[in-house]
Amino acid sequence: MKRILLSLVAVASLSMLATSQTAFAQGEKAGGAAPAAAANVPTKIGLVDMAKVFKKYDKFTRLREDLQAQMSQMQNEAKGVKAQAEKIAEEMKGFNKDSKEYKALQEKLVRLTSDFDTKAKIAAPDMARKEAQIFEDVYLEVADVIKMYAEFYKYTLVLRFNSDQIDADSPQQLANGLNKLVLYHRAQDDITEPVIEYLNRQYAKKGGVAPASGGAAPAPDRAAAKPGANSRN
């Protein structure tokens, strides 16, 4: 799960990025809607580091923490069952294998382990489903905001990229870096930070409350998501 969250580096030319963020916020405050696309729109490409978005989006962090808490609870329950099983096994040593007491404890041990194994087999895929649902819900929400941002600033194409710098001391990272699709970009073409700030701002306005882990997340408030709907915090 952690491999999706890559190590991050500072974004170059922060002043240019701040200018883009400010313009976005002014568009929100002004109440303007995304301008209609012209017949011959010049190509304008934006870039988004999705790994960074997921890492820095507060809602995603909260959902993962909630899911991790459920997994920890299951692990604690497993430890409790193991302790009970060890206690029963120890008690069985004090009885003859043909005694009623031994057989009663043996049946108790079988029921205990069987019930927990059944519960674990059901819980494992359920946890995997919940995790997948979290990624899907957040991805769709992020994609919705990227679309809104791109339409407002007339980006004709937005690509996913990795903003990490190449670490020549790490063969694996060096190999990954050499396979990057984006070899050059202008700082203002990286719209990752404005997207992250907008997502967190909207999440905070809703009280920072995430839906239950694995549950269907509510659809993004498209009316509030338009650049002109809310002023920048």
Side-chain angles (χ1 to χ4, degrees), residues 1-2 63-81 116 119 123-124 127 130 213:
M1 296 190 299
K2 294 183 179 178
L63 289 171
R64 290 293 299 281
E65 288 175 348
D66 289 347
L67 183 61
Q68 185 59 49
Q70 294 181 42
M71 295 175 66
S72 296
Q73 183 178 351
M74 285 192 59
Q75 291 173 353
N76 291 335
E77 186 176 345
K79 292 178 181 178
V81 171
F116 182 78
K119 184 177 180 180
M127 287 295 173
K130 287 181 178 180
S213 297

Side-chain angles (χ1 to χ4, degrees), residues 24 28 57 145 148-149 193-203 221-227 229-230 232:
F24 189 31
E28 292 182 296
Y57 185 16
V145 172
M148 174 270 297
Y149 188 99
E193 291 297 337
V195 168
I196 292 171
E197 289 190 8
Y198 186 84
L199 286 164
N200 284 332
R201 188 163 65 251
Q202 294 302 316
Y203 180 57
D221 186 346
R222 294 177 181 272
K226 290 182 179 180
N230 297 291
R232 187 184 179 88

Side-chain angles (χ1 to χ4, degrees), residues 56-125:
K56 298 177 70 174
Y57 185 16
D58 295 339
K59 178 179 177 180
F60 178 73
T61 301
R62 171 68 180 278
L63 289 171
R64 290 293 299 281
E65 288 175 348
D66 289 347
L67 183 61
Q68 185 59 49
Q70 294 181 42
M71 295 175 66
S72 296
Q73 183 178 351
M74 285 192 59
Q75 291 173 353
N76 291 335
E77 186 176 345
K79 292 178 181 178
V81 171
K82 181 181 179 182
Q84 292 181 52
E86 291 175 347
K87 182 179 179 180
I88 294 173
E90 189 64 29
E91 291 179 13
M92 291 171 64
K93 293 179 181 179
F95 300 96
N96 185 284
K97 291 185 179 181
D98 295 326
S99 66
K100 293 181 179 180
E101 292 82 1
Y102 184 92
K103 291 181 179 179
L105 289 171
Q106 188 177 47
E107 290 178 1
K108 183 178 180 180
L109 179 60
V110 170
R111 284 197 305 270
L112 178 67
T113 55
S114 177
D115 290 346
F116 182 78
D117 287 345
T118 300
K119 184 177 180 180
K121 289 179 181 178
I122 296 175

Side-chain angles (χ1 to χ4, degrees), residues 1-218:
M1 296 190 299
K2 294 183 179 178
R3 63 176 178 270
I4 194 173
L5 304 178
L6 309 176
S7 57
L8 305 176
V9 295
V11 179
S13 304
L14 292 179
S15 61
M16 299 178 72
L17 185 57
T19 300
S20 174
Q21 295 169 340
T22 300
F24 189 31
Q26 289 175 346
E28 292 182 296
K29 189 173 182 180
N40 297 312
V41 179
T43 300
K44 184 179 180 182
I45 299 175
L47 303 173
V48 174
D49 188 333
M50 291 295 285
K52 183 183 289 187
V53 173
F54 272 71
K55 183 178 179 65
K56 298 177 70 174
Y57 185 16
D58 295 339
K59 178 179 177 180
F60 178 73
T61 301
R62 171 68 180 278
L63 289 171
R64 290 293 299 281
E65 288 175 348
D66 289 347
L67 183 61
Q68 185 59 49
Q70 294 181 42
M71 295 175 66
S72 296
Q73 183 178 351
M74 285 192 59
Q75 291 173 353
N76 291 335
E77 186 176 345
K79 292 178 181 178
V81 171
K82 181 181 179 182
Q84 292 181 52
E86 291 175 347
K87 182 179 179 180
I88 294 173
E90 189 64 29
E91 291 179 13
M92 291 171 64
K93 293 179 181 179
F95 300 96
N96 185 284
K97 291 185 179 181
D98 295 326
S99 66
K100 293 181 179 180
E101 292 82 1
Y102 184 92
K103 291 181 179 179
L105 289 171
Q106 188 177 47
E107 290 178 1
K108 183 178 180 180
L109 179 60
V110 170
R111 284 197 305 270
L112 178 67
T113 55
S114 177
D115 290 346
F116 182 78
D117 287 345
T118 300
K119 184 177 180 180
K121 289 179 181 178
I122 296 175
D126 184 55
M127 287 295 173
R129 179 189 61 78
K130 287 181 178 180
E131 183 182 31
Q133 190 68 55
I134 289 173
F135 276 93
E136 179 182 2
D137 291 341
V138 173
Y139 177 84
L140 293 175
E141 184 177 353
V142 171
D144 190 79
V145 172
I146 291 173
K147 179 177 181 294
M148 174 270 297
Y149 188 99
E151 290 177 346
F152 184 78
Y153 282 110
K154 298 183 180 181
Y155 281 92
T156 54
L157 179 67
V158 176
L159 299 176
R160 176 176 179 170
F161 86 124
N162 181 359
S163 63
D164 289 349
Q165 292 180 336
I166 296 178
D167 183 359
D169 295 329
S170 172
Q172 183 61 48
Q173 290 189 23
L174 180 59
N176 292 338
L178 293 176
N179 288 324
K180 284 186 175 182
L181 295 177
V182 178
L183 301 181
Y184 168 80
H185 71 279
R186 301 175 304 169
Q188 63 265 38
D189 293 331
D190 181 357
I191 64 174
T192 304
E193 291 297 337
V195 168
I196 292 171
E197 289 190 8
Y198 186 84
L199 286 164
N200 284 332
R201 188 163 65 251
Q202 294 302 316
Y203 180 57
K205 286 180 179 179
K206 295 178 181 178
V209 177
S213 297

